Amino acid sequence: MTAPPEIKKRTRAASPSPASPPSHLSPKDLLYPLQRKFVDDPSRYKIAVTTRQWGKSTATAGEAVHNCLTDPGTTWVCMSAGERQSLEWQAKAKEWFEAYRLVVKDVAEDRGGLAEGLLKQTEILFTNGSRIIAIPANPSTARGYSANIILDEFAYHEDPDAIWSAMFPSTTNELAGTFL
């Protein structure tokens, strides 16, 4: 006795032949097309005006991690509106580390010597000399970096004009890199 045709179809579909995996996979393949286009854009200055929850922090953290992996000695600084946002952005960078299966050399937080002190910065060090620094945005913490700069959620920064003025010298340095 033969099985009805609909059962035969299900049986064939349930046991597909094994497919070979793609030859090259990247965690960036998980991004949506517009996020990927933003991340892969080689422009020195990039501005994203998007909807809420578009994934700007996820995309910029991914770009920073990828660049640190592919360009030894690179530094990225992300300035967020406050301590909570800086830690949140850095957590996204750590997720990208896991996606790339990178061994992190060290992760450090500086709270000015006080256990409950305000966050001064959090830093991830790569074994190749690259690093990612996340800091709460204010004009005094913005000065002194020659690095790729991310102004995360810049519309919510206190005194954005003063922060921009403090960061602008970094953007004029040809060695500084990308400004997001």
Side-chain angles (χ1 to χ4, degrees):
M1 182 171 174
T2 60
E6 63 274 2
I7 293 176
K8 286 182 182 178
K9 286 181 187 172
R10 274 190 256 139
T11 304
R12 278 190 225 121
S15 58
S17 62
S20 61
S23 61
H24 176 72
L25 290 175
S26 166
K28 291 194 316 183
D29 295 336
L30 299 172
L31 294 170
Y32 290 109
L34 288 175
Q35 291 172 319
R36 180 68 185 257
K37 183 178 177 182
F38 181 81
V39 167
D40 289 342
D41 183 344
S43 299
R44 184 164 180 194
Y45 295 91
K46 296 194 261 185
I47 297 173
V49 179
T50 65
T51 62
R52 291 188 69 229
Q53 299 299 309
W54 182 80
K56 295 175 290 291
S57 298
T58 298
T60 57
E63 180 173 359
V65 169
H66 181 79
N67 187 247
C68 284
L69 285 169
T70 58
D71 189 8
T74 297
T75 299
W76 281 80
V77 175
C78 176
M79 297 183 66
S80 297
E83 178 181 6
R84 183 187 63 77
Q85 293 91 339
S86 294
L87 292 171
E88 192 65 32
W89 188 91
Q90 193 74 305
K92 290 175 185 343
K94 290 174 188 175
E95 289 173 6
W96 280 96
F97 279 128
E98 291 175 21
Y100 279 102
R101 294 188 180 142
L102 176 74
V103 176
V104 178
K105 181 179 177 184
D106 194 16
V107 177
E109 288 183 7
D110 180 2
R111 294 187 178 270
L114 303 173
E116 286 94 33
L118 292 177
L119 177 73
K120 287 188 175 182
Q121 78 176 32
T122 178
E123 182 172 9
I124 298 174
L125 301 174
F126 288 75
T127 56
N128 69 0
S130 294
R131 62 192 185 137
I132 296 175
I133 301 165
I135 55 177
N138 71 56
S140 64
T141 60
R143 290 182 185 86
Y145 290 104
S146 289
N148 298 292
I149 307 294
I150 298 169
L151 296 174
D152 191 45
E153 304 278 346
F154 191 57
Y156 299 104
H157 287 207
E158 283 187 34
D159 201 359
D161 291 337
I163 291 169
W164 179 256
S165 294
M167 290 307 306
F168 185 74
S170 295
T171 70
T172 60
N173 179 352
E174 286 294 325
L175 301 175
T178 304
F179 198 81
L180 306 174

